[in-house]
Amino acid sequence: MLELGFEWRPEEGRTVLAHRRHEGPLRVQKALYPEGPALCQVLVLHPPAGIAGGDALTLQVALASGSQALVTTPGAGKWYRSKGPQATQVLDFRVGDGAVLEWLPQETILYDQLNGHTETRVQLGADALYVGLDLLCLGRTASGETLRQGRLGMVARIAQQGRLLWSEQGAIEGGSRLLRSPAGLRGMPVSGTLLVAGRAISNEVLDACRAVVPAVGEGAVTRLPNLLIARYLGPAAEPGRAWFVDLWARLRPALTGREAQVPRIWHT
């Protein structure tokens, strides 16, 4: 388990990482401020590099009112093959009134024969903002691996002041018809979702996002009350991530007054 707590200190004009506790492999090294003191950036490290059968990881992130944090990862996440035991991951995010949490991990690779379950829970205060990215790669495509067997169950739930904004659950199963079906993943190995929740999206911003077309693959953008959902489907992670970054570059200034700046670790 890794617990992180952020606070806004107006006398310093600064968001600080005020609480940090870990049990197990998940940890962060230090708070970074590449965009100035108002926004704190941290890298979540997982030294084993991937999630193996039987692992149970929990990341809890709490933002006090007015704080701003961007949480990312130094490399691709991995769900390793399992000989039977299920691995689990829980993301528990609490974002206080007027706070901003950007959860922007790099892509996740699902190894053939994995057995996993992941759950994301987001609780938002008044005028809070959550931006969450999830980019999945089915198999190690560079090595010719596909997802022939295995399963990843997924649950996501976002609520704001007790009102449900988003609830989704499903599963990716290796070798299933869903992976090939025209109504499913159409044989594409990469799929992704960007969720932007907590603040209203104007017609102008929605139109600007819908005008952005992935260089490779397909993308679509949907707006609901206080929620924007963007979906990607394609042959590789790079064009999917590039499309999500283009959307973020249009959404972030409108919602936070801050220009989009890709984390430096993504370039290493």
Side-chain angles (χ1 to χ4, degrees), residues 8 44 60 92 122 163 216 245 251:
W8 169 246
V44 174
Q60 294 183 344
D92 186 2
V122 183
R163 183 171 68 90
V216 179
V245 168
L251 290 159

Side-chain angles (χ1 to χ4, degrees), residues 13-263:
R14 187 181 190 87
T15 294
V16 298
L17 179 58
H19 172 74
R20 173 172 50 185
R21 185 176 77 89
H22 77 268
E23 295 180 5
L26 286 179
R27 62 193 63 199
V28 298
Q29 289 184 326
K30 62 184 297 186
L32 305 171
Y33 294 90
E35 300 185 61
L39 184 143
C40 182
Q41 183 180 121
V42 297
L43 308 180
V44 174
L45 308 177
H46 186 218
I51 304 174
D55 285 352
L57 301 181
T58 299
L59 173 61
Q60 294 183 344
V61 180
L63 275 71
S65 299
S67 58
Q68 302 178 52
L70 188 154
V71 183
T72 186
T73 58
K78 304 175 183 70
W79 289 80
Y80 291 136
R81 180 179 66 178
S82 172
K83 293 184 179 180
Q86 185 182 71
T88 62
Q89 175 182 265
V90 175
L91 305 176
D92 186 2
F93 300 146
R94 288 161 285 168
V95 189
D97 295 349
V100 177
L101 172 61
E102 295 169 292
W103 166 240
L104 301 176
Q106 299 195 53
E107 63 268 20
T108 298
I109 302 171
L110 307 185
Y111 280 48
D112 189 31
Q113 301 180 49
L114 85 156
N115 182 10
H117 181 84
T118 180
E119 182 174 351
T120 302
R121 303 188 293 255
V122 183
Q123 301 177 52
L124 301 173
D127 197 40
L129 178 67
Y130 169 72
V131 179
L133 176 62
D134 187 20
L135 189 59
L136 298 178
C137 306
L138 309 187
R140 293 168 290 175
T141 54
S143 303
E145 180 183 87
T146 59
L147 199 66
R148 298 173 300 168
Q149 299 179 53
R151 184 181 191 275
L152 179 68
M154 298 171 289
V155 176
R157 180 183 174 89
I158 303 175
Q160 186 168 36
Q161 294 183 290
R163 183 171 68 90
L164 186 64
L165 298 181
W166 180 252
S167 181
E168 181 178 43
Q169 63 180 4
I172 293 177
E173 298 189 9
S176 68
R177 294 177 59 187
L178 172 70
L179 305 187
R180 304 182 302 275
S181 169
L185 301 186
R186 305 179 191 176
M188 293 294 179
V190 176
S191 61
T193 301
L194 178 72
L195 292 171
V196 181
R199 296 180 183 175
I201 307 295
S202 70
N203 291 333
E204 293 76 14
V205 173
L206 178 65
D207 291 343
C209 289
R210 286 177 170 169
V212 180
V213 178
V216 179
E218 301 177 66
V221 178
T222 301
R223 180 181 63 180
L224 297 172
N226 278 19
L227 183 70
L228 180 138
I229 311 105
R231 303 278 201 188
Y232 174 80
L233 186 63
E238 290 80 4
R241 183 165 63 175
W243 182 64
F244 286 129
V245 168
D246 283 346
L247 296 181
W248 185 50
R250 288 154 177 78
L251 290 159
R252 200 188 203 208
L255 294 173
T256 71
R258 183 185 296 275
E259 295 298 319
Q261 182 174 319
V262 173

